Amino acid sequence: MTPQELEDGILKLKKDLNAVILAHYYQESEIQDLADFVGDSLELSRKAVSTTADVIVFCGVHFMAETAKILNPQKPVLLPDLLAGCSLSDGCPPNAFKKFREDHPNHLAITYINCSAEVKALSDIICTSSNAEKIVNQIPIDQPILFSPDKNLGAYINKKTGRNMLLWNGSCIVHETFSERKLIGLQLEHPDAELIAHPECEDHILARAKFIGSTSALLKYVQTSLNNKFIVGTEYGIVHQMEKSTTGKTFLPLPPEENCACNECPHMKRNTLEKLYLCMKNMNPQIEMSSDLLTRARKPIERMLAMS
Ligand code: 13P
Ligand code: SF4
């Protein structure tokens, strides 16, 4: 099928199924353009709660679609490619996380949404990059906290809140590849460009950033900033919305150390227009999990939604 036939087919299936297509900013631009809503992890979770559609088609990675299913256990949630994972989630297996908790029985577990449903079920409160600081600030100062699985986001929140949360040793394969050496070169070449970065980046990159925030916060920043040139310290898919919603602004990718496309999330990019069409046509693959897991994983997500 041609890209046009795929697009037409997706739009027809969307109508026939009364489906909503939710997409993350790191999806291919043609998927973003077909989606009913494009957002960051928190906004996508909220949309999953508020949608009146019968079917949720989630164009993102597995933990995001899983969260939509946990919040909508009665609705089918489709993910174009079930293998669209996340290095943070993969680096935090439930058994090891359970042991981490058992070793620190007095600690509260605040866990980044980039984790499996099993790890969510073992956590007290979930957070995203856009509400982590707000949630941590609501916890009494004498309450020790375990923060998992992203050590970079955890260290950033420790700095912002003055806490000393114990951090799980995990990181994102995309955000840890950015090169400080190449960043300095780019800044010398473009002294008028501001670095904006996602808090999953390492501290030496964040230290040079003019603005740090979730994907949605980065997008809002470039839309409202008086500056016209930005070095973008996150997955480059977000530049599609940055370019679409601004005029005359330049967005430079923050290069990885190697000469590779490592600033693209290989998991996010597993979803293609063709797989999107096929999952809607076949109502497969769908996110499935036991009702016990759904119930246990739901509580810490609901706590997050109530606290943010
Ligand atoms: P956001 O919640 O900021 O969209 O981040 C999700 C993510 O996976 C970043 O790598
Ligand atoms: Fe996970 Fe990193 Fe991809 Fe985000 S960019 S989904 S944190 S691997």
Side-chain angles (χ1 to χ4, degrees), residues 24 26 40-41 63-64 112 114 128-129 175 198 200 214-215:
H24 189 266
Y26 299 165
D40 71 5
S41 305
F63 77 81
M64 295 179 173
Y112 191 31
N114 296 39
T128 73
S129 59
H175 290 84
H198 194 280
E200 285 177 16
S214 76
T215 49

Side-chain angles (χ1 to χ4, degrees), residues 79-99:
L79 177 64
D81 189 326
L82 271 192
L83 295 177
C86 168
S87 65
L88 279 167
S89 182
D90 294 345
C92 188
N95 281 347
F97 181 72
K98 192 162 174 272
K99 168 103 182 31

Side-chain angles (χ1 to χ4, degrees), residues 47-62:
K47 277 282 163 193
V49 174
S50 65
T51 183
T52 54
D54 294 324
V55 176
I56 298 175
V57 187
F58 207 107
C59 298
V61 289
H62 193 275

Side-chain angles (χ1 to χ4, degrees), residues 2-223:
T2 66
Q4 190 57 55
E5 284 167 344
L6 286 171
E7 276 180 32
D8 293 346
I10 290 164
L11 292 176
K12 178 166 185 322
L13 284 164
K14 192 164 83 91
K15 220 171 167 189
D16 295 348
L17 297 170
N18 187 27
V20 66
I21 302 180
L22 306 180
H24 189 266
Y25 293 116
Y26 299 165
Q27 291 293 285
E28 297 288 2
S29 52
E30 61 267 30
I31 292 185
Q32 292 189 37
D33 289 344
L34 273 177
D36 297 294
F37 182 78
V38 187
D40 71 5
S41 305
L42 181 62
E43 292 168 337
L44 291 167
S45 306
R46 288 207 174 111
K47 277 282 163 193
V49 174
S50 65
T51 183
T52 54
D54 294 324
V55 176
I56 298 175
V57 187
F58 207 107
C59 298
V61 289
H62 193 275
F63 77 81
M64 295 179 173
E66 218 172 36
T67 305
K69 179 70 182 176
I70 293 164
L71 293 167
N72 283 282
Q74 72 296 348
K75 288 185 186 175
V77 175
L78 304 170
L79 177 64
D81 189 326
L82 271 192
L83 295 177
C86 168
S87 65
L88 279 167
S89 182
D90 294 345
C92 188
N95 281 347
F97 181 72
K98 192 162 174 272
K99 168 103 182 31
F100 188 48
R101 285 224 65 175
E102 285 164 358
D103 289 347
H104 304 92
N106 298 325
H107 285 60
L108 186 86
I110 301 185
T111 308
Y112 191 31
I113 199 165
N114 296 39
C115 65
S116 65
E118 286 89 348
V119 168
K120 286 186 176 73
L122 291 165
S123 304
D124 295 307
I125 309 169
I126 299 304
C127 71
T128 73
S129 59
S130 65
N131 61 19
E133 185 181 346
K134 191 172 179 187
I135 286 178
V136 170
N137 274 331
Q138 290 174 60
I139 307 302
I141 197 76
D142 54 351
Q143 169 63 59
I145 299 173
L146 298 179
F147 189 89
S148 312
D150 187 5
K151 63 178 178 192
N152 293 321
L153 174 62
Y156 171 69
I157 300 298
N158 270 344
K159 232 183 214 176
K160 292 281 284 185
T161 60
R163 307 289 290 231
N164 187 20
M165 300 186 296
L166 203 53
L167 310 179
W168 180 273
N169 186 16
S171 57
C172 161
I173 46 164
V174 177
H175 290 84
E176 71 179 0
T177 58
F178 294 130
S179 161
E180 188 180 12
R181 186 177 59 86
K182 290 191 182 170
L183 168 61
I184 294 167
L186 206 55
Q187 283 180 320
L188 286 173
E189 223 179 293
H190 303 273
D192 52 337
E194 283 181 350
L195 171 68
I196 56 167
H198 194 280
E200 285 177 16
C201 291
E202 293 177 330
D203 185 52
H204 58 102
I205 298 289
L206 295 180
R208 296 179 176 275
K210 173 85 187 189
F211 181 78
I212 298 167
S214 76
T215 49
S216 283
L218 296 178
L219 177 60
K220 250 174 238 140
Y221 182 78
V222 303
Q223 288 166 343

